Amino acid sequence: MNNLQTQDPDIFGLIQKEKTRQKEGLELIASENYVSSAVLEAMGSVLTNKYSEGYPGKRYYGGNIVIDEVESLAIERAKLLFGAEHVNVQPLSGSPANLAVYMALLNPGDKVLGFSLDQGGHLSHGHPLNFSGKLYTIIPYFAKRETEIIDMDEVEEIALREKPKMILAGFSAYSRSMDWQRFKQIADKIGAFTFADIAHIAGLIAGKQLESPVPYFDVVSTTTHKTLRGPRGAMIMCKEKFAKDIDRAVFPGVQGGPHDHINAAKAVAFAEALKPEFTEYSRQIIANARALADALTKRGYRVISGGTDNHIVLLDVFGSKQITGKEAEHALEVVNISVNKNMIPYDPRKPLDPSGVRIGTPALTTRGMKEGEMETVADLIDQALMNKDNEAKLLEIKSRVTEFALQFPVPGINN
Ligand SMILES: *Cc1c(COP(=O)(O)O)cnc(C)c1O
């Protein structure tokens, strides 16, 4: 950091501040994680200097001998990790990856069946301001009101009635397992493409804790920076017969040159995820989410769907405690606990101030926390919410949070 410190003390200072924030806070945003020093090092490497439009062995620029090896290694490791027939590691992030999938399989106007956004779908699954909602006809499916779990019979009913060209299974805020095989059976009845977006749960699938859609689905996209604990980016896996269309849609369809430094860091993260320690890590993520859900239930918070199968716990804070999602997010931020406000299924409130908050355990699990620590985390959350209007009390809780957080080192931060 010496060069940065002398050349640009402003940015250096801000990075130091952010390090402190990450060390002293409790990161419970379900889509976030801490990468290893090895991943950071690959991201900060000279590979960023290269232009390499195209694919290994077929580039538009010279000098890509080394880059070809880097990208091929990332692809081989991803194939091994997920058992995929074909992998494209170039997508710059999850949303552009999904854009490429839509472009590869559909024409504008085509019908897509996807999980309702206000119940846990991602904005690239049909938000009216997103490309997906603007270019395609999105038909939503829902969680059942009584169970708050996706009702596969209803999915089938809608699919048979609407005959979408593609069925999309995936979510950003849902805590239950997906029935991939049933999705595939339904799609086969109407000849629809199957597209799984495992952005949130890729690490739990790589760690063999959740069933994988890769054997069943035509195409599977994922980010690499959430539970998978790699650099900010994405990849697309598919059956061999879609390989050409997917590759063309990524480049030149959506993107120009790949980010080779990021692809190198993806390769590093995939190698980490292939280790037995990662299986243990992903098992612990789910154990921690369950422990946190139980500890919060004991304190009177209603957990959506009654529990969790993954890293996500959705809380109905308004229904449980008459605190809105926005108020809860704010009170927790004051004490250095990061969560995000979130809609709950059939939310009577509005998106900007919904009934719920979404909590996730991947980041705290990376810091080495286990079930016992989840009891403390639940207590700190509850204390902050119960004292949300008491500034003095919140300050006191904040110092407890800091003291607790500092006992668990963040990978990649030494000073
Ligand atoms: C996070 C997420 C994405 C997109 O990720 P970005 O990298 O932020 O574009 C796509 N799909 C799902 C389901 C996600 O949770």
Side-chain angles (χ1 to χ4, degrees):
M1 282 303 241
N2 253 341
N3 290 330
L4 186 59
Q5 186 167 16
T6 45
Q7 284 190 30
D8 193 336
D10 298 335
I11 286 294
F12 178 83
L14 289 170
I15 292 173
Q16 291 305 109
K17 257 185 163 161
E18 174 61 13
K19 281 185 181 174
T20 304
R21 191 195 69 82
Q22 292 191 11
K23 281 194 296 193
E24 294 186 350
L26 291 177
E27 187 52 72
L28 284 162
I29 290 179
S31 50
E32 295 188 17
N33 214 330
Y34 307 103
V35 299
S36 68
S37 309
V39 168
L40 280 177
E41 218 174 291
M43 274 195 274
S45 71
V46 295
L47 300 183
T48 193
N49 297 338
K50 193 68 198 100
Y51 238 113
S52 50
E53 284 180 350
Y55 290 102
K58 292 166 286 191
R59 304 286 187 183
Y60 288 71
Y61 294 81
N64 275 304
I65 302 118
V66 178
I67 297 301
D68 279 2
E69 286 195 49
V70 169
E71 187 169 336
S72 300
L73 200 52
I75 291 169
E76 284 318 307
R77 288 176 182 174
K79 281 185 177 172
L80 202 58
L81 192 58
F82 289 97
E85 288 180 18
H86 179 79
V87 176
N88 186 312
V89 295
Q90 294 192 5
L92 305 179
S93 217
S95 298
N98 289 352
L99 172 56
V101 176
Y102 283 84
M103 278 185 59
L105 302 180
L106 306 174
N107 291 308
D110 280 347
K111 270 190 196 175
V112 177
L113 188 64
F115 189 29
S116 170
L117 297 203
D118 58 7
Q119 298 199 349
H122 184 256
L123 62 100
S124 62
H125 302 178
H127 190 284
L129 296 177
N130 184 263
F131 74 84
S132 51
K134 281 184 186 281
L135 295 180
Y136 304 94
T137 308
I138 306 285
I139 315 287
Y141 55 88
F142 302 93
K144 218 180 168 74
R145 193 182 276 270
E146 307 85 71
T147 57
E148 298 171 315
I149 292 175
I150 292 170
D151 178 352
M152 292 309 293
D153 293 333
E154 194 190 272
V155 172
E156 173 156 355
E157 207 180 292
I158 303 173
L160 294 180
R161 186 175 67 232
E162 298 282 349
K163 304 220 167 26
K165 187 133 178 240
M166 181 171 87
I167 296 183
L168 203 179
F171 54 82
S172 300
Y174 183 68
S175 55
R176 293 304 181 176
S177 295
M178 286 266 173
D179 190 346
W180 308 117
Q181 296 195 52
R182 182 80 193 275
F183 273 110
K184 173 66 176 157
Q185 285 164 7
I186 294 169
D188 283 347
K189 286 190 182 177
I190 52 167
F193 295 122
T194 43
F195 170 26
D197 178 352
I198 58 169
H200 259 266
I201 51 173
L204 304 177
I205 290 170
K208 304 179 197 74
Q209 304 302 307
L210 294 181
E211 197 191 11
S212 172
V214 172
Y216 314 111
F217 272 51
D218 297 325
V219 181
V220 177
S221 75
T222 182
T223 58
T224 46
H225 50 273
K226 299 181 184 176
T227 50
L228 196 48
R229 209 163 64 180
R232 196 154 290 280
M235 69 171 159
I236 302 172
M237 300 171 267
C238 66
K239 299 293 184 208
E240 197 55 52
K241 69 172 176 174
F242 298 101
K244 252 207 183 113
D245 289 337
I246 289 291
D247 285 352
R248 265 200 220 120
V250 172
F251 171 84
V254 174
Q255 300 178 181
H259 293 183
D260 297 311
H261 58 310
I262 298 297
N263 293 345
K266 286 174 192 170
V268 174
F270 299 156
E272 289 176 359
L274 281 162
K275 290 187 181 154
E277 296 92 290
F278 197 85
T279 300
E280 177 49 28
Y281 166 62
S282 41
R283 190 200 63 73
Q284 190 67 52
I285 291 176
I286 299 175
N288 284 352
R290 291 194 166 136
L292 194 54
D294 287 348
L296 287 162
T297 303
K298 253 187 358 210
R299 288 166 176 80
Y301 295 86
R302 190 175 81 80
V303 173
I304 299 303
S305 84
T308 182
D309 298 325
N310 57 31
H311 61 300
I312 294 171
V313 179
L314 257 182
L315 289 184
D316 177 7
V317 280
F318 190 74
S320 315
K321 305 280 180 182
Q322 273 66 60
I323 299 170
T324 73
K326 188 174 157 188
E327 288 170 338
E329 179 186 299
H330 178 73
L332 293 172
E333 173 140 54
V334 171
V335 302
N336 280 354
I337 297 177
S338 300
V339 304
N340 63 279
K341 59 182 179 289
N342 215 98
M343 296 283 275
I344 62 171
Y346 306 98
D347 202 324
R349 301 185 57 84
K350 298 274 170 297
L352 283 178
D353 195 5
S355 296
V357 290
R358 185 187 67 166
I359 301 183
T361 52
L364 293 191
T365 307
T366 292
R367 290 178 82 163
M369 293 191 193
K370 300 214 156 60
E371 288 92 329
E373 279 80 33
M374 294 304 110
E375 217 22 82
T376 309
V377 172
D379 190 51
L380 291 165
I381 290 173
D382 183 44
Q383 290 288 320
L385 295 182
M386 291 304 99
N387 293 287
K388 70 177 174 55
D389 300 317
N390 183 341
E391 255 174 67
K393 196 83 194 177
L394 288 179
L395 268 179
E396 184 196 313
I397 298 164
K398 181 180 178 174
S399 64
R400 279 174 54 203
V401 167
T402 307
E403 194 188 335
F404 174 66
L406 285 173
Q407 295 169 32
F408 299 88
V410 176
I413 305 183
N414 309 315
N415 49 51

